Amino acid sequence: MAPSSQQSSSTAAWTPATWRSKPIKQSPAYPDESKLQKAVKELNRMPPLVHPTEIAALKANLRDVAQGNAFLLQGGDCAELFDYCEQDAIESKIKLLLQMSVVLIWGTNKRVVRIGRMAGQYAKPRSSPTEVVNGKEMPSFRGDILNGYHEDEREIDPNRLLKAYHHSAATLNFMRSALASGIADLHRPFDWGLGHVRDPGLKEKYSTIASSIQQTLRFLQVINARPEELQTVDIYTSHEGLLLEYEQALTRLLDSPEARSPAASRFASRAPSPPPGEADDTLPVRNLAIHGQDYYDTSAHFLWIGDRTRQLDHAHVEFFRGIANPIGVKVGPTTPVDDLLALLRALNPQCEPGKITLITRYGAGKVADLLPKHIRAVEDSEYRRCVVWQCDPMHGNTLSTEAGIKTRRFNDIYKELQESLRIHKEQGSYLGGMHLELTGDAVTECLGGSEGLAEDDLSTNYTSFCDPRLNEKQALELAFLVADHFSQEGKTGRK
């Protein structure tokens, strides 16, 4: 049972500003408060970036994932740069997520929900306020929303909040127009070239899968079958909700689509009633949906709390507990089992399926020891089949070469995914998704994969300003491996 202090905090009165009364981690020190307030005031008057109807649709999709009826693919840049707001970069990520999802649909035999780490992933937590670049100590690069990567751009600049908004808006605008124009029509041919795969056995396996997908798509085209899933798709946006000044400014009290739906009525009926004589305006904001409105963070469809900012009594949890968006929480080696349930009870006291995604990130060597304990804590509680379990196999597997280059091994990434799939099956739970740092560009930042990238290859095209990303071939290969796992499991289950 959760402590009474946690129960009281989850039902306390909430506004988009109550986080300011709490301790906060990873909060930047702006050198000029008046400039900050001017920028925030400007943000307050800007229109929402996403609509509550879209947010409600994503939450409904995530409800399907939580209940084992769909699979979640989430991916994009570690630290999105303003420079990535251009046609080719956006298109390459959309096409990669689409191609990966086609492979996963084939393997899982489930609908795939797609979320991009894009149109807002401009802030990055850092372990130290300073770093050494070319032998010189300077303020750490904290993402384009706060400061720039170059030496003369390291001062925190509040005007970057507005730049982040406008770059997010432009990215979203192009994403929507590209999807509306048919870029996501799955009848269009894909480049299934597998010339980079060096292992003959692996190449044959991938070729068999690709051939099966192509034959299915051709058959559907011949018979003029055009189900919605094959014509267009939704790609939702997400980022870490790190910078609360920005998130608060884009949080709005809006009409709730969920309040008008039968599903929302069911959830509202489970909401706690106010004590006799208590005024409605002291209710937690999540219950405002009963009255037809709720608070939405309109900066993105989906936001997550990072590993460094999930303290129960701190500002980020306080802010996140009041917004109607679906929420992610990073779960790692430093997450106590008791904290996991307390977080769920603070962020989702009504046990709404799909509201919370637990994004596990342990490292390939630790997942077997830590994941079962976290699964049992949740699955043996009132939150069984309410959360989405998602594996982030990237962040726990970062290392540095002897030359000091930050990288990740493809085999470690896949091992953590493979172990997570096995453990969830053993525990009777469902691993509903994967969360990847990837790019549609031909970068050389992660070791291994079918290309056989070695340490000497990293300098060929290493362009990340933060963490290493899978390139398009490595990301697609990972989709093949996961799809094959599900496919083989399905064949075993049918015997």
Side-chain angles (χ1 to χ4, degrees):
M1 180 176 292
S4 59
S5 61
Q6 293 304 330
Q7 292 174 341
S8 63
S9 67
S10 66
T11 56
W14 184 94
T15 73
T18 51
W19 65 269
R20 296 180 182 276
S21 65
K22 304 285 186 178
I24 189 168
K25 301 278 189 181
Q26 296 289 325
S27 181
Y30 284 93
D32 190 325
E33 182 67 22
S34 63
K35 287 184 179 179
L36 171 63
Q37 294 308 316
K38 182 179 179 182
V40 168
K41 184 177 180 180
E42 180 75 5
L43 277 176
N44 273 318
R45 73 172 191 84
M46 302 302 288
L49 287 169
V50 300
H51 195 274
T53 303
E54 298 170 336
I55 295 171
L58 174 58
K59 195 186 290 187
N61 285 327
L62 292 176
R63 187 179 307 135
D64 290 341
V65 177
Q67 295 171 348
N69 299 319
F71 190 83
L72 171 59
L73 171 63
Q74 187 171 6
D77 292 294
C78 166
E80 191 178 10
L81 301 181
F82 293 160
D83 286 348
Y84 297 166
C85 183
E86 54 96 17
Q87 179 176 344
D88 290 345
I90 298 169
E91 278 189 347
S92 67
K93 280 192 277 283
I94 292 175
K95 289 177 180 178
L96 177 57
L97 287 172
L98 177 61
Q99 195 167 8
M100 291 175 71
S101 69
V102 174
V103 174
L104 290 168
I105 290 168
W106 175 88
T108 63
N109 199 29
K110 298 179 189 291
R111 197 163 47 83
V112 171
V113 181
R114 307 160 187 88
I115 303 179
R117 285 174 57 114
M118 55 196 302
Q121 179 56 10
Y122 297 123
K124 290 299 295 181
R126 301 306 300 264
S127 56
S128 172
T130 63
E131 62 185 341
V132 176
V133 179
N134 298 324
K136 181 180 178 181
E137 186 175 17
M138 63 183 68
S140 294
F141 172 56
R142 304 183 66 168
D144 268 355
I145 195 171
L146 289 171
N147 60 0
Y149 184 76
H150 300 292
E151 290 185 22
D152 59 348
E153 300 174 324
R154 290 301 177 100
E155 183 175 284
I156 303 296
D157 180 4
N159 288 323
R160 286 178 172 267
L161 295 169
L162 297 170
K163 288 184 179 180
Y165 174 90
H166 290 296
H167 282 82
S168 295
T171 300
L172 268 163
N173 181 62
F174 182 74
M175 286 176 62
R176 287 173 171 141
S177 62
L179 292 169
S181 69
I183 190 176
D185 188 338
L186 302 194
H187 290 99
R188 290 188 173 192
F190 287 108
D191 177 13
W192 295 107
L194 297 167
H196 64 284
V197 181
R198 298 181 181 181
D199 182 272
L202 204 58
K203 185 170 184 176
E204 183 179 357
K205 177 182 282 190
Y206 293 170
S207 297
T208 300
I209 295 173
S211 176
S212 176
I213 293 170
Q214 287 175 300
Q215 289 173 16
T216 301
L217 293 177
R218 280 197 295 269
F219 172 74
L220 290 169
Q221 191 169 24
V222 167
I223 66 173
N224 202 30
R226 299 193 63 83
E228 182 179 346
E229 181 69 25
L230 295 176
Q231 294 179 51
T232 187
V233 297
D234 292 317
I235 297 181
Y236 299 98
T237 61
S238 68
H239 61 260
E240 180 176 354
L242 186 65
L243 197 57
L244 296 186
E245 293 282 2
Y246 182 79
E247 305 304 337
Q248 180 187 337
L250 289 171
T251 297
R252 312 288 165 78
L253 183 62
L254 299 168
D255 290 341
S256 172
E258 294 175 288
R260 298 190 295 271
S261 71
S265 299
R266 290 198 299 274
F267 294 128
S269 68
R270 297 165 65 183
S273 300
E278 184 174 294
D280 282 351
D281 61 1
T282 62
L283 285 174
V285 70
R286 62 180 61 84
N287 294 334
L288 286 174
I290 301 170
H291 307 294
Q293 288 190 314
D294 220 329
Y295 276 102
Y296 293 87
D297 185 339
T298 67
S299 70
H301 302 103
F302 178 97
L303 299 106
W304 72 86
I305 303 174
D307 195 46
R308 294 184 175 97
T309 54
R310 52 172 163 70
Q311 299 83 7
L312 283 161
D313 57 350
H314 278 49
H316 287 82
V317 170
E318 170 62 22
F319 176 79
F320 272 70
R321 77 177 179 88
I323 59 175
N325 306 58
I327 294 166
V329 180
K330 288 290 186 86
V331 178
T334 61
T335 309
V337 172
D338 290 344
D339 275 13
L340 192 56
L341 283 178
L343 279 165
L344 289 174
R345 287 166 179 151
L347 296 168
N348 186 23
Q350 298 167 29
C351 299
E352 182 183 352
K355 169 69 176 178
I356 305 294
T357 296
L358 295 178
I359 309 167
T360 60
R361 41 150 297 176
Y362 305 105
K366 297 178 180 179
V367 60
D369 180 52
L370 297 172
L371 179 56
K373 301 172 186 176
H374 284 145
I375 291 175
R376 288 273 50 88
V378 175
E379 296 298 312
D380 293 342
S381 75
E382 68 270 31
Y383 289 95
R384 176 175 173 78
R385 292 287 170 158
C386 282
V387 306
V388 173
W389 288 100
Q390 185 185 36
C391 176
D392 168 3
M394 307 293 293
H395 284 89
N397 293 302
T398 307
L399 56 92
S400 292
T401 67
E402 290 185 5
I405 301 173
K406 190 187 289 188
T407 188
R408 290 158 173 159
R409 294 190 183 94
F410 182 89
N411 286 348
D412 291 339
I413 292 168
Y414 179 55
K415 182 181 177 183
E416 182 160 355
L417 260 171
Q418 197 174 34
E419 282 287 277
S420 297
L421 286 162
R422 176 186 64 80
I423 292 166
H424 276 282
K425 183 179 180 181
E426 289 177 353
Q427 296 292 327
S429 55
Y430 173 60
L431 179 61
M434 55 185 185
H435 185 122
L436 306 172
E437 291 186 337
L438 55 79
T439 176
D441 299 328
V443 300
T444 53
E445 297 171 1
C446 291
L447 299 168
S450 294
E451 292 176 282
L453 290 181
E455 288 189 21
D456 290 344
D457 299 315
L458 294 178
S459 60
T460 304
N461 191 28
Y462 195 109
T463 62
S464 176
F465 289 113
C466 198
D467 290 340
R469 302 160 294 177
L470 297 169
N471 63 32
E472 82 285 10
K473 292 174 182 176
Q474 292 169 326
L476 186 58
E477 179 178 2
L478 201 62
F480 272 120
L481 289 168
V482 172
D484 187 58
H485 172 94
F486 277 104
S487 178
Q488 296 303 320
E489 188 178 80
K491 290 175 184 177
T492 302
R494 288 192 294 270
K495 288 181 181 179

